[in-house]
Amino acid sequence: KTWNEAEDSDSLFGSSKGAVVVTEDGWVCVFFCEDTQNSVDKSSYEVTIPYEDQMLKAAYDERWFEKSSYEYNHELAKLSLCLEMSSFTKDALENWGESGEEIAAERSENVVKAFRSIGFEEENIKTYHYDKPLNDASDKIAYTIANKKLSSGKTLIAVVCRGGGYGSEWSSNFHVYSDENEDESFHAGFYNAMKEVFGNVKTEIEHSDSDVVLWITGYSRGAAVANLLSGRIDDWASIYTNLSADAVFSYCYATPRGVKAGRNPEKQLYQNIFNIINPGDAVPEVALQKWGYTRYGATKLFDEKVDTAIASEINSVYQDLTGNEFDVLLSLKQASTVRSIVQRIDKAFPTER
């Protein structure tokens, strides 16, 4: 029988074209033929990312990871943000104080689905700390690490730090200084969370049987941890034979400041880390610049002057996703207000201690 006539052929052989022949002595012969018209390019496709009860669409192209990570890629930035949004705790208010493996699977359901949409096998997707109750205020972060082989033979390791629905982890954002902090060059709450993530990423790199490409993303608190993680990996990349800094792709959104300027975090080595920030957002002002804090990498600010047609489209998309009204022009105008508030806080709290 030809493929389309063979019973259950799709479930057995996918979309390949060919024929099945049963010989007189009972042997089953399968003949494949190349379908050049309908062959699928598995390196580039549209993906669907779940966010709460919505579905986000974005492009994916593994050829992006063949280029230098020091080149800003807007399509990868959009996909990274979609992936990050999928990491937000699902139904956070309904399972606030619960813990355990079953609740972890519920909370991380969207990010696992997102990774599968991008071509990662479920057995290669590992989630961490989604099992912890949301009233746990320790210096940790929930995150996901996944890996898959690219057609180039390299291993893509993706790291997503949860940036929404993280409950009492929020208090760790204000854990700026600690006498127990091993390195005063970093925001204590962000740094303590980053160390564990780095340990597991380091293990993934060292256990890889091929050259590695790293893809890191985070939003808000997740961005703070992702930013420190990316800086740490850039520092370590030179000691690995299977990883280089130009294969570390990092996209962070609403990134708080977590590293002291004295570590020279804006030098060329870290320019593969992109921080995308709304100047009307107060979150990236933590920790205060006056205390010596900044971020690793390059910062891209939204233009405070946005065309009204584009603003209208942004507002519409936001309302579709959240059900709430939003005025992006008003948000951007708040930049001067944020700067004024920060100046007052600077005077009230001249040091971090």
Side-chain angles (χ1 to χ4, degrees), residues 10 27 67 86 91 96 195 209-210 213 219 233 236 243 271 295 300 304 311 346 350:
D10 282 346
W27 285 91
K67 300 179 181 179
S86 77
D91 301 325
W96 188 266
K195 287 191 296 182
D209 61 359
S210 67
V213 176
Y219 165 79
I233 290 172
W236 278 63
L243 176 67
Q271 291 300 302
R295 308 172 190 89
K300 290 183 171 292
E304 293 183 33
D346 282 346

Side-chain angles (χ1 to χ4, degrees), residues 3-186:
W3 228 241
N4 292 336
E5 296 169 340
E7 184 178 355
D8 294 328
S9 61
D10 282 346
S11 62
L12 290 171
F13 305 106
S15 59
S16 302
K17 299 192 75 174
V20 177
V21 176
V22 182
T23 65
E24 290 182 358
D25 56 358
W27 285 91
V28 177
C29 301
V30 180
F31 297 89
F32 291 92
C33 64
E34 184 178 2
D35 180 7
T36 55
Q37 280 191 316
N38 298 308
S39 60
V40 177
D41 180 0
K42 295 183 178 180
S43 67
S44 176
Y45 44 86
E46 184 179 74
V47 297
T48 303
I49 307 290
Y51 166 66
E52 294 188 352
D53 295 326
Q54 305 287 332
M55 301 302 287
L56 311 175
K57 292 189 181 295
Y60 169 81
D61 192 331
E62 73 170 46
R63 291 169 294 192
W64 296 337
F65 300 109
E66 296 173 5
K67 300 179 181 179
S68 171
S69 59
Y70 289 89
E71 299 176 19
Y72 174 78
N73 183 328
H74 194 59
E75 292 303 313
L76 180 55
K78 290 192 289 186
L79 176 60
S80 299
L81 181 57
C82 290
L83 182 59
E84 166 58 31
M85 291 171 69
S86 77
S87 75
F88 292 9
T89 301
K90 186 179 180 184
D91 301 325
L93 296 178
E94 297 179 14
N95 51 47
W96 188 266
E98 298 180 40
S99 61
E101 292 184 10
E102 186 174 331
I103 202 67
E106 291 180 19
R107 289 175 178 156
S108 62
E109 178 183 348
N110 282 344
V111 71
V112 171
K113 285 182 177 178
F115 271 120
R116 291 181 64 187
S117 176
I118 302 172
F120 292 82
E121 299 292 338
E122 191 157 357
E123 59 266 28
N124 296 326
I125 305 169
K126 301 174 186 176
T127 63
Y128 299 84
H129 294 318
Y130 280 92
D131 61 327
K132 299 293 191 295
L134 295 176
N135 54 15
D136 181 347
S138 59
D139 290 342
K140 67 174 189 327
I141 194 163
Y143 60 101
T144 305
I145 302 176
N147 71 77
K148 72 169 184 173
K149 285 290 185 183
L150 300 175
S151 58
S152 64
K154 296 180 180 180
T155 299
L156 174 62
I157 299 174
V159 186
V160 183
C161 299
R162 181 178 65 183
Y166 51 71
S168 297
E169 277 181 19
W170 185 81
S171 62
S172 179
N173 297 346
F174 297 96
H175 185 201
V176 179
Y177 175 79
S178 171
D179 290 329
E180 299 176 357
N181 202 19
E182 64 187 52
D183 193 332
E184 294 185 11
S185 298
F186 301 100

